[in-house]
């Protein structure tokens, strides 16, 4: 073990980030046992959802222990944990938000427990108003039930998070849900690069340390933009989702020909450098006839 590693034993050096689980949607993540609904009914997962669950367990049972090297990790859900009732959509399992919260808890509570058992903390970011309430109140209720760490204002689901990973010299990470989108794959990196550049400009204006990593979600497509910096490099990371294509996405340029992506990412304060890793899976396109 290196001197640096010895000095940091007991420090949580790993941050895992997931997002956009959209509990309550018929093409989103759900426990394979299904869900009991208000009134006595029961929802049974589809084949698509069972495949998604297989990848969810691969992520948590294989990838996370591997990339964290079996060490403690903190966990951030970066928003849109619930699907809500939105855009006149009919793809929800239930429009009853209590049903949706129970679905979310069945999926998320075990991985929050895994995080805590490792020695880490759980954080929750508020997502999109259409999904989680005008003030994020649906997500606030869920985050409280999961035992998320509250901010100084007592919000269990916060709008953003500045998180130092590992030691005092470890990476500084800024997380929030939203980032600009585009319908052009050729310009997919533009808004992500602009977000990172704006973070550096804002930090310089006020003499603050800029983030080493910014993490955004919302797009349901994973991408990373790296820039060289005095600390090695800085990166803007966008997480994949845990939701398939809804009827709404089939009419959006770009999204309508893009297969669903699922996964998450790691930010680690390593022995010699800090870095990120991504785990992303994509569903196959429609079968040939």
């Amino acid at each position: 073990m290196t001197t640096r590693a010895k000095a940091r034993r007991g420090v949580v050096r790993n941050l895992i980030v997931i997002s956009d689980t959209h509990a309550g949607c018929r093409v989103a993540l759900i426990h394979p046992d299904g869900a009991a609904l208000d009134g006595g009914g029961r929802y049974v997962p589809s084949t698509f959802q069972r495949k998604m669950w297989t990848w969810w367990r691969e992520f948590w049972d294989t990838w996370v222990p591997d990339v964290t090297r079996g060490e403690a990790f903190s966990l951030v859900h970066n928003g849109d944990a619930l699907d809500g009732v939105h855009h006149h959509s009919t793809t929800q399992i239930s429009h009853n938000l209590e049903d949706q919260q129970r679905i979310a808890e069945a999926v998320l509570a075990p991985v929050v427990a895994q995080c805590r058992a490792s020695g880490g903390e759980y954080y929750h970011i508020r997502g999109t108003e259409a999904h989680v309430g005008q003030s994020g109140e649906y997500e606030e209720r869920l985050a409280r039930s999961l035992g998320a760490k509250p901010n100084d204002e007592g919000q269990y689901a916060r709008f953003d998070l500045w998180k130092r990973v590992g030691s005092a010299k470890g990476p500084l990470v800024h997380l929030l849900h939203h980032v600009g989108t585009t319908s052009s794959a050729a310009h997919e990196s533009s808004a992500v690069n602009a977000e990172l550049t704006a973070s550096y400009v804002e930090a310089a204006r006020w003499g603050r340390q800029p983030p080493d990593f910014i993490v955004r979600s919302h797009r349901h497509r994973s991408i990373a933009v790296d820039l060289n910096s005095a600390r090695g490099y800085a990166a803007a990371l966008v997480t994949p989702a845990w939701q398939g294509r809804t009827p709404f996405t089939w009419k959006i340029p770009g999204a309508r020909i893009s297969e669903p992506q699922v996964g998450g990412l790691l930010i680690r304060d390593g022995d010699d450098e800090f870095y990120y890793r991504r785990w992303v899976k994509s569903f196959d396109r429609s079968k040939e006839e």
Side-chain angles (χ1 to χ4, degrees):
M1 182 181 293
T2 66
T3 301
R4 185 179 178 193
K6 288 179 181 178
R8 295 187 305 178
R9 281 187 297 184
V11 174
V12 180
R13 303 165 62 185
N14 302 289
L15 183 68
I16 299 292
V17 187
I18 58 171
S19 74
D20 297 280
T21 46
H22 287 273
C25 176
R26 297 203 309 266
V27 292
L29 196 62
I30 189 172
H31 193 280
D33 290 343
L37 305 178
D38 183 59
R42 188 164 197 89
Y43 177 80
V44 177
S46 66
T47 300
F48 177 87
Q49 289 175 308
R50 291 185 182 279
K51 174 63 175 178
M52 187 179 291
W53 182 262
T54 298
W55 277 340
W56 176 255
R57 290 316 325 163
E58 182 181 339
F59 178 80
W60 288 105
D61 296 340
T62 303
W63 188 78
V64 169
D66 182 45
V67 293
T68 62
R69 305 184 185 184
E71 298 171 358
F73 66 90
S74 289
L75 170 63
V76 178
H77 191 300
N78 208 36
D80 281 359
L82 303 167
D83 200 48
V85 182
H86 61 92
H87 302 118
H88 305 290
S89 173
T90 60
T91 54
Q92 285 76 39
I93 294 167
S94 169
H95 281 183
N96 186 320
L97 293 172
E98 289 293 330
D99 289 339
Q100 293 193 15
Q101 177 157 335
R102 284 194 295 271
I103 292 169
E105 289 170 345
V107 169
L108 295 174
V111 299
V112 172
Q114 183 177 340
C115 158
R116 289 214 181 87
S118 80
E121 295 180 304
Y122 177 61
Y123 301 87
H124 201 112
I125 307 296
R126 296 186 185 191
T128 309
E129 294 175 353
H131 295 291
V132 301
Q134 292 299 308
S135 297
E137 62 269 25
Y138 310 150
E139 209 142 36
E140 173 70 11
R141 183 173 58 189
L142 172 63
R144 185 187 300 112
S145 76
L146 292 171
K149 184 177 181 179
N151 62 12
D152 290 343
E153 286 72 44
Q155 294 171 322
Y156 291 86
R158 57 186 81 199
F159 286 101
D160 78 335
L161 171 66
W162 287 93
K163 176 65 177 171
R164 180 76 64 179
V165 179
S167 68
K169 294 183 179 180
L172 179 62
V173 185
H174 183 232
L175 303 102
L176 60 79
H177 180 76
H178 289 93
V179 69
T181 61
T182 178
S183 61
S184 170
H187 300 287
E188 191 171 0
S189 64
S190 297
V192 181
N193 180 64
E195 187 87 353
L196 181 59
T197 302
S199 296
Y200 264 70
V201 170
E202 187 67 14
R205 286 183 65 189
W206 302 104
R208 297 168 179 151
Q209 181 185 342
D212 296 297
F213 300 103
I214 64 171
V215 181
R216 304 292 184 261
S217 300
H218 187 62
R219 288 179 165 200
H220 293 207
R221 288 176 57 84
S222 178
I223 191 172
V225 175
D226 293 351
L227 299 175
N228 293 328
S229 76
R231 280 167 57 84
Y233 73 100
L237 311 172
V238 180
T239 58
W242 289 91
Q243 184 185 36
R245 278 185 292 193
T246 65
F248 178 73
T249 62
W250 283 99
K251 64 183 181 182
I252 301 174
R256 63 187 175 224
I257 60 171
S258 173
E259 304 307 324
Q261 296 180 3
V262 301
L265 60 88
L266 161 86
I267 295 173
R268 177 174 171 85
D269 183 22
D271 290 342
D272 301 310
E273 62 178 352
F274 52 76
Y275 56 88
Y276 69 89
R277 296 287 184 269
R278 292 179 291 164
W279 187 92
V280 183
K281 299 287 187 181
S282 176
F283 282 86
D284 290 336
R285 61 191 181 188
S286 300
K287 183 180 177 181
E288 294 181 16
E289 298 287 350

